[in-house]
Amino acid sequence: MKGYAFASAIVASLSLLSTVAADVDPIVIKGSKFFYKTNGTEFFMRGVAYQQDIPGNGSDSTQTQFTDPLADADACKRDVPILQQLMTNTIRVYAIDPKKDHSACMTLLQNAGIYVISDLSQPGESINRDNPIWNDGLYNRYTSVIDELQKYSNVLGFFAGNEVSNNVSNTDASPFVKAAVRDMKAYIKRKGYRPIGVGYATNDDADIRQGLADYFNCGKTEESIDFWGYNIYSWCGNSSYSLSGYDVRTKDFENYSVPVFFAEYGCNVPSPRLFTEVEALYGDDMSKVWSGGIVYMYFQEANQYGLVTVSGNSASKLPDFTALSNQIASATPTGVNANSYTPTNTVARSCPAKNSAWSAATQLPPTPNQELCSCMVKSLNCAAKAGVQDSAFGTLFGSACATKGVCDGIQADGSSGVYGAYSMCSPLEQLSWVFNEYYSANNKNPQACNFAGNATIQTPQTPPSNCQALLSQAGPAGTGIVTSTPSGTGSSGSSSSKKSAAGLTTVPQFNFGVLTLGFYGLGAILTGAAMVIL
């Protein structure tokens, strides 16, 4: 281990803070390449993943706590000078708290010429591969991150998902991620923010990597990714361009219509790492296709991928740091200027056909619309009480949905592409819809609006004109397509507050796991009839 003189870092960081943050030249996308907006120089990422102790998103992890790396000014003062020694121009962060102040860290990064690409999710509030949803809570979480970070000119882009579909068993989660891409792109445009790309970071699963790359690039431009991140660890030790499969992956993307880059790379077997792949990544064979990459990762943790160890205000470089520093210093990719660049790979991919390895529908879930959900609940004769216990949801859904058609308005099936208009509402709002459908199916018998004391009869409110239009589009069975643009969503509320538009409590990860159990119970009731209840 090589010690690091922290005093020099203090001097360097004080120098960085002594100047007023100057806006860096935003990075823009043209064809399949990134460019500096003003001078048109092609931009290649020399990146490092920068976040400690972050559990994986996309899974049903019980760990939800995380530390926002862009809100820790002392850590940024310590680390930015070290990142500069690696010629870093990009960091990737996996979760931020949009309610915190990020100005100090973003100023340090701006003054160091370092751009940021941020995931939009956080632990406990992400699209779960095993029980996918795209709802009001996640929409608010994602838009709140955009609202907070868009004001910094060194924000390069956002990831709407990271390794959500990671094998053949869960490709039906991809429509939900693609819906998030669609809606975040539309949100950025509707808010009048500068163009900021929204992409996806994928794993390198041999069975689905082609399907994933095609799926997120196919169809309408407004629904497809702006860039493609590839988490790849196939080059280990003294491998080679061909042995690692880099040659095949480069061939796969030579005609891709948006920028591609390594969103994570750096196999740690053997250890310490050699980083001989850097020469290939930034060399002539790959730099015509790939826009650089992001090394995983800055902090040393139990998984042994770190470049440095940190303790309080001190940091020590590891052998991996020295190896990467030596390799990256020789990385001089040859780019093109935006003014002389005419994209030739402008055709999007064809959507993959369904087969044994691919089950994702091209039809996407509806855009979350808090106003619609609120209007729906107010229009009902029978509604769920606010105090429904988490443990009761599965049983309650199972009881009501045993009646045919009752749950059509809330179903969400990424394989069949069938989504109810209220599939994006909170669990409690969905339960109210189901209770009311059951109540109506039983001729509004008062006993049909009880459900062990969890439901109550209410006087429906006469919907105002805006609600009438939304409810009309949703249709009487909740199976219509709502085309109205969402209103009242975004920075006005983050999903971390756990409140829906109607003021009803939601606990996204936990409740939906319970509802999945309810679905399995319902399967027995319906003697094998298939339905997805979210």
Side-chain angles (χ1 to χ4, degrees):
M1 179 185 295
K2 183 177 180 182
Y4 181 73
F6 183 67
S8 63
I10 289 290
V11 172
S13 62
L14 287 175
S15 175
L16 285 170
L17 280 177
S18 66
T19 58
V20 177
D23 285 348
V24 296
D25 197 11
I27 302 302
V28 296
I29 295 171
K30 182 179 181 181
S32 59
K33 298 180 182 296
F34 292 109
F35 296 96
Y36 290 96
K37 181 178 179 180
T38 301
N39 62 22
T41 302
E42 187 172 353
F43 179 83
F44 293 91
M45 293 183 193
R46 296 189 302 273
V48 176
Y50 183 75
Q51 188 148 9
Q52 285 181 284
D53 301 321
I54 185 76
N57 290 330
S59 62
D60 194 15
S61 173
T62 58
Q63 181 181 342
T64 59
Q65 299 300 313
F66 67 96
T67 299
D68 182 344
L70 300 183
D72 189 341
D74 290 337
C76 289
K77 293 173 190 176
R78 177 195 65 207
D79 296 332
V80 168
I82 303 175
L83 289 166
Q84 286 183 288
Q85 293 181 33
L86 289 172
M87 302 175 66
T88 303
N89 65 9
T90 307
I91 62 169
R92 177 183 178 183
V93 296
Y94 293 84
I96 70 149
D97 183 344
K99 299 183 296 298
K100 291 187 175 180
D101 180 14
H102 302 99
S103 57
C105 280
M106 294 304 289
T107 295
L108 284 163
L109 292 165
Q110 281 187 353
N111 290 341
I114 297 175
Y115 294 82
V116 174
I117 185 165
S118 175
D119 288 48
L120 294 172
S121 60
Q122 71 175 54
E125 292 186 66
S126 63
I127 298 172
N128 184 333
R129 65 176 65 95
D130 297 318
N131 185 27
I133 59 165
W134 177 235
N135 67 0
D136 285 340
L138 293 179
Y139 184 97
N140 281 351
R141 158 66 198 180
Y142 287 25
T143 54
S144 67
V145 173
I146 291 174
D147 289 337
E148 169 58 19
L149 292 183
Q150 58 79 28
K151 58 192 173 186
Y152 300 106
S153 61
N154 62 329
V155 171
L156 187 156
F158 302 105
F159 282 126
N162 179 68
E163 299 188 4
V164 179
S165 294
N166 64 354
N167 61 55
V168 296
S169 72
N170 50 43
T171 60
D172 60 341
S174 286
F176 298 87
V177 183
K178 194 169 181 179
V181 171
R182 173 201 64 200
D183 293 342
M184 295 306 99
K185 290 176 65 170
Y187 182 80
I188 290 169
K189 184 177 181 179
R190 187 168 69 251
K191 294 285 285 188
Y193 296 151
R194 66 177 175 86
I196 308 174
V198 180
Y200 178 76
T202 182
N203 69 323
D204 184 33
D205 183 88
D207 293 324
I208 65 171
R209 59 190 172 204
Q210 190 66 55
L212 283 166
D214 292 348
Y215 184 78
F216 280 92
N217 184 244
C218 75
K220 300 175 183 177
T221 301
E222 58 266 29
E223 295 179 350
S224 59
I225 41 97
D226 294 316
F227 53 76
W228 188 247
Y230 206 164
N231 301 340
I232 182 169
Y233 294 87
S234 61
W235 185 306
C236 298
N238 275 312
S239 189
S240 69
Y241 184 53
S242 57
L243 288 175
S244 65
Y246 277 23
D247 58 339
V248 180
R249 303 288 78 78
T250 300
K251 183 72 174 176
D252 288 343
F253 288 98
E254 64 181 359
N255 292 315
Y256 212 57
S257 64
V258 299
V260 294
F261 57 91
F262 287 0
E264 291 176 5
Y265 76 96
C267 171
N268 66 350
V269 179
S271 181
R273 292 181 281 183
L274 305 177
F275 288 110
T276 53
E277 67 265 46
V278 169
E279 181 181 3
L281 178 59
Y282 296 95
D284 290 341
D285 288 332
M286 297 187 68
S287 62
K288 293 180 178 64
V289 174
W290 303 92
S291 296
I294 299 170
V295 169
Y296 188 84
M297 62 105 57
Y298 184 79
F299 299 99
Q300 178 72 319
E301 297 178 330
N303 60 15
Q304 300 293 304
Y305 277 94
L307 300 175
V308 303
T309 59
V310 296
S311 178
N313 289 329
S314 64
S316 298
K317 302 173 189 175
L318 295 170
D320 283 15
F321 180 99
T322 303
L324 178 60
S325 178
N326 291 335
Q327 291 287 347
I328 207 74
S330 302
T332 55
T334 302
V336 298
N337 190 276
N339 294 327
S340 59
Y341 167 64
T342 301
T344 56
N345 45 339
T346 57
V347 179
R349 297 284 179 91
S350 297
C351 293
K354 289 187 178 181
N355 53 44
S356 60
W358 190 259
S359 63
T362 55
Q363 296 84 5
L364 304 181
T367 298
N369 192 320
Q370 289 182 347
E371 186 178 20
L372 170 62
C373 296
S374 178
C375 290
M376 176 269 287
V377 172
K378 292 175 183 177
S379 73
L380 303 178
N381 291 284
C382 177
K385 291 182 178 179
V388 177
Q389 296 296 308
D390 291 331
S391 58
F393 272 82
T395 300
L396 293 172
F397 273 107
S399 297
C401 293
T403 300
K404 184 178 180 181
V406 163
C407 284
D408 289 355
I410 66 166
Q411 64 180 317
D413 189 333
S415 180
S416 68
V418 176
Y419 312 96
Y422 303 117
S423 63
M424 49 71 196
C425 296
S426 75
L428 197 57
E429 290 165 334
Q430 290 183 348
L431 195 60
S432 290
W433 169 262
V434 167
F435 281 175
N436 190 74
E437 287 292 282
Y438 182 86
Y439 177 63
S440 298
N442 286 275
N443 299 315
K444 297 187 178 180
N445 184 328
Q447 294 302 312
C449 185
N450 185 284
F451 291 94
N454 288 291
T456 183
I457 294 174
Q458 65 180 22
T459 301
Q461 299 181 18
T462 301
S465 58
N466 60 316
C467 280
Q468 289 178 356
L470 292 169
L471 294 173
S472 175
Q473 290 176 17
T479 55
I481 298 175
V482 178
T483 58
S484 299
T485 302
S487 61
T489 51
S491 59
S492 59
S494 168
S495 62
S496 59
S497 67
K498 300 294 190 294
K499 296 290 182 181
S500 73
L504 306 176
T505 303
T506 77
V507 187
Q509 282 292 342
F510 179 68
N511 271 356
F512 290 121
V514 171
L515 295 185
T516 299
L517 294 176
F519 161 55
Y520 289 128
L522 178 60
I525 296 172
L526 298 180
T527 63
M531 182 182 299
V532 174
I533 299 174
L534 299 180

